[in-house]
């Protein structure tokens, strides 16, 4: 869709969706939603001066949804694909200033959300298509991922056959580390 005016909240209904799922189990249900920083890849910005300005407005909308969700009792919210690792590790030439803006965007999205926050990263996409012949390492993204106000950061390690395990083992962080071990770019497990 084209963005031709300031973005405004729509009927996301994260809390209602989570409540329906939570009623079906006594176990905690984690809700996952796309990061504002990744949403811009689905939009055509014809209004905002910069993508950062657009993402910051999207982050305000998502923040309101996440606060409502946490207030309803959600114990874990997973923010899917803050695009920092793509910018830092894939040779796109993303300057450090833009990577720092991506950190600010993520942190604005979850500011004041009183529940556990997971930041999910991976190298695939929703169409089960591999994005790279040779999957990058997370090494250049770690300084930026360290600055996320997330409790846990997930790393997709299946397509790299665990190549980043030693790197993650040496990562000095207080964050929990989640390891993805299923390759979602193939149709078999």
């Amino acid at each position: 869709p084209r963005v031709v005016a300031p973005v405004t909240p729509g009927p996301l209904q994260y809390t209602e969706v989570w409540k329906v799922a939570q009623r079906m189990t006594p176990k905690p249900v984690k809700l996952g939603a796309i990061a504002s920083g990744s949403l811009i890849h689905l939009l055509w910005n014809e209004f905002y001066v910069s993508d950062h300005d657009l993402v910051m407005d999207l982050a305000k909308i998502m923040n309101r949804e996440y606060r409502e969700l946490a207030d309803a009792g959600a114990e874990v919210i997973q923010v899917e694909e803050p695009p920092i690792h793509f910018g830092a590790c894939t040779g796109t030439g993303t300057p450090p200033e833009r990577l720092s803006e991506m950190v600010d965007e993520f942190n604005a999205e979850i500011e004041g959300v009183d529940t556990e926050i997971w930041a999910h990263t991976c190298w695939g996409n929703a169409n089960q298509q591999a994005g790279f012949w040779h999957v990058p390492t997370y090494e250049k993204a770690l300084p930026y991922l360290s600055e996320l106000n997330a409790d846990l950061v997930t790393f997709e390690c299946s397509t790299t056959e665990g190549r980043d395990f030693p790197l993650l083992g040496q990562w000095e962080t207080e964050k929990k580390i989640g390891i993805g071990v299923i390759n979602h770019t193939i149709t078999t497990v």
Side-chain angles (χ1 to χ4, degrees), residues 10-183:
L12 294 175
Q13 301 180 338
Y14 289 168
T15 301
E16 290 76 12
V17 170
W18 173 81
K19 285 179 178 179
V20 169
Q22 188 61 71
R23 279 196 303 264
M24 296 181 186
T25 179
K27 298 177 182 179
V29 172
K30 172 185 71 174
L31 184 121
I34 187 170
S36 298
S38 285
L39 276 175
I40 62 165
H41 301 293
L42 306 172
L43 303 171
W44 190 264
N45 179 13
E46 296 178 2
F47 177 78
Y48 289 88
V49 173
S50 69
D51 285 345
H52 176 66
D53 293 338
L54 170 56
V55 175
M56 290 303 281
D57 274 2
L58 290 168
K60 291 175 190 172
I61 293 167
M62 300 297 277
N63 180 270
R64 191 177 81 197
E65 289 287 324
Y66 293 149
R67 284 177 183 237
E68 182 181 307
L69 183 59
D71 290 347
E75 294 181 27
V76 178
I77 298 171
Q78 179 166 297
V79 181
E80 311 282 352
E81 294 299 337
I84 297 160
H85 60 301
F86 286 106
C89 303
T90 60
T92 60
T94 305
E97 300 80 28
R98 178 66 189 120
L99 294 169
S100 292
E101 284 180 345
M102 291 178 185
V103 170
D104 293 342
E105 293 161 3
F106 179 92
N107 288 341
E109 188 169 340
I110 55 103
E111 184 178 348
V113 178
D114 190 21
T115 196
E116 186 164 275
I117 301 293
W118 294 11
H120 168 84
T121 70
C122 72
W123 298 115
N125 61 55
N127 296 319
Q128 289 185 298
Q129 302 299 308
F132 309 94
W133 286 108
H134 302 286
V135 178
T137 174
Y138 283 98
E139 184 174 11
K140 292 179 181 177
L142 288 181
Y144 300 98
L145 295 173
S146 293
E147 296 177 33
L148 297 180
N149 293 334
D151 301 291
L152 180 144
V153 178
T154 66
F155 298 90
E156 191 259 299
C157 293
S158 176
T159 58
T160 63
E161 298 178 347
R163 181 182 65 226
D164 280 329
F165 285 163
L167 176 69
L168 298 175
Q170 296 171 6
W171 186 30
E172 293 185 20
T173 183
E174 296 296 317
K175 297 179 188 324
K176 299 174 195 174
I177 297 174
I179 302 297
V181 295
I182 295 177
N183 183 346

